[in-house]
């Protein structure tokens, strides 16, 4: 009897707890719905200062959704600054596919003061999310932007940037061309995207650009290995042996994954009857 009483009490307590949780959620949603855009932005900034990033993301998303139909340039300018910060927070929270979508909205709208960085971030987000078709398109768009950046809509001097720590970068490098290492990373993203899409012949040119221009020996080794993998898939065995010695001159030769991949190449050469090519390859592994 006592057991049944405790059981009923436990069920009642669970129901009561659920009631209060749901009531709290309902009240919170109602409160958020009643806020002005200014209040929502203040809540977002306060959450950001407390490093409560998920909460800040929710408020920033709410703000940009409400501001999208505004006729006020001031609101649209601030919304763009918020949109960029929102994407940055999504990256921090490892929600990179969502960040890429936000960055696309940012790039497609006027008053994008951080366009240069936004293009690069979007490419990196798509690549890290293995969204290769989107990454390829984003990287090509970044290249096009670099060659011919569109003029930015004039921003009135009396509209303050809500994120002043980022304002200096936004003001100084809108039209600055990408540096060689940034161009290299765009080519790397293009190459990896082609490879991820199974476009083996297409990836080789971009990997070759990385190989010829990077100072990062690990990246060079990885790119050579990917070229070798692509040529293996294409059964272009006569072209493989020109690359393997290049690979062996990089630190990548110590990577067990590279050696396993080379074993696969050697096996493919053997099965194709390319016996003269197999022996020197085994000696390198």
């Amino acid at each position: 009897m006592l057991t049944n009483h405790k059981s009923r009490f436990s069920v009642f307590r669970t129901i009561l707890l659920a009631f209060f949780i749901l009531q709290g959620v309902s009240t919170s949603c109602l409160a958020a719905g009643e806020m002005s855009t200014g209040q929502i932005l203040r809540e977002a900034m306060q959450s950001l200062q407390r490093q409560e990033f998920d909460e800040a993301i929710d408020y920033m998303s709410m703000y940009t959704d409400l501001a999208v139909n505004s006729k006020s340039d001031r609101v649209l300018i601030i919304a763009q600054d918020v949109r960029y910060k929102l994407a940055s927070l999504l990256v921090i929270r490892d929600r990179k596919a969502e960040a890429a979508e936000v960055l696309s909205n940012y790039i497609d709208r006027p008053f994008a003061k951080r366009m240069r960085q936004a293009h690069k971030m979007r490419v990196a987000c798509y690549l890290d999310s293995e969204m290769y078709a989107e990454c390829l398109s984003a990287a090509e768009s970044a290249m096009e932007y670099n060659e011919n950046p569109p003029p930015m809509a004039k921003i009135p001097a009396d509209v303050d940037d809500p994120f002043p720590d980022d304002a200096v970068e936004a003001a100084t490098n809108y039209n600055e061309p990408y540096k060689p290492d940034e161009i290299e990373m765009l080519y790397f993203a293009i190459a990896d995207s082609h490879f991820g899409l199974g476009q083996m012949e297409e990836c080789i040119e971009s990997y070759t650009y990385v190989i010829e221009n990077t100072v990062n020996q690990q990246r060079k080794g990885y790119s050579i290995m990917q070229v070798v993998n692509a040529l293996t898939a294409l059964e272009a065995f006569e072209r493989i042996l020109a690359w393997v010695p290049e690979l062996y001159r990089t630190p990548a030769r110590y990577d067990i994954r590279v050696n396993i991949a080379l074993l696969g190449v050697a096996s493919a050469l053997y099965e194709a009857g390319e016996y003269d090519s197999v022996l020197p390859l085994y000696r390198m592994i």
Side-chain angles (χ1 to χ4, degrees), residues 63-84 105-106 109-113 153 155-156 159 162:
Y63 181 87
T64 55
D65 287 346
L66 289 172
V68 73
N69 294 319
S70 176
K71 304 300 181 184
S72 165
D73 282 354
R74 180 184 182 85
V75 172
L76 294 176
I77 291 165
I78 294 173
Q80 279 288 67
D81 293 334
V82 171
R83 198 169 278 117
Y84 182 85
N105 287 329
Y106 178 83
R109 297 177 186 278
F111 307 117
K113 294 183 287 186
I155 296 175
V159 180

Side-chain angles (χ1 to χ4, degrees), residues 128-232:
D128 197 63
S129 302
E130 298 183 357
M131 299 172 68
Y132 297 121
E134 293 84 352
C135 182
L136 187 58
S137 176
E140 290 171 348
S141 178
M143 290 286 201
E144 183 179 343
Y145 163 79
N146 186 60
E147 293 173 5
N148 188 27
M152 185 173 64
K154 186 176 180 180
I155 296 175
D158 62 342
V159 180
D160 294 329
D161 194 310
F163 308 104
D165 291 344
D166 300 333
V168 173
E169 177 191 17
T172 57
N173 71 3
Y174 180 88
N175 289 320
E176 181 183 337
Y178 287 133
K179 297 173 183 174
D181 61 320
E182 293 172 317
I183 295 291
E184 175 196 316
M185 289 308 298
L186 290 175
Y187 271 104
F188 182 82
I190 290 171
D192 255 16
S193 296
H194 279 306
F195 190 92
L197 291 168
Q199 298 167 350
M200 298 304 172
E201 190 64 56
E202 290 85 346
C203 77
I204 293 172
E205 182 180 354
S206 294
Y207 277 132
T208 301
Y209 179 93
V210 176
I211 293 163
E212 292 175 349
N213 290 276
T214 188
V215 296
N216 184 316
Q217 291 300 302
Q218 199 67 36
R219 187 177 302 133
K220 181 176 182 178
Y222 170 86
S223 298
I224 294 172
M225 188 67 247
Q226 290 294 81
V227 169
V228 171
N229 285 332
L231 292 172
T232 303

Side-chain angles (χ1 to χ4, degrees), residues 244-275:
V244 172
E246 288 292 323
L247 174 63
Y248 201 67
R249 284 193 281 269
T250 72
R253 70 183 185 274
Y254 300 115
D255 191 326
I256 186 63
R257 294 168 297 182
V258 169
N259 283 282
I260 291 171
L262 286 175
L263 283 172
V265 173
S267 177
L269 286 168
Y270 183 83
E271 290 176 7
E274 301 285 335
Y275 305 120

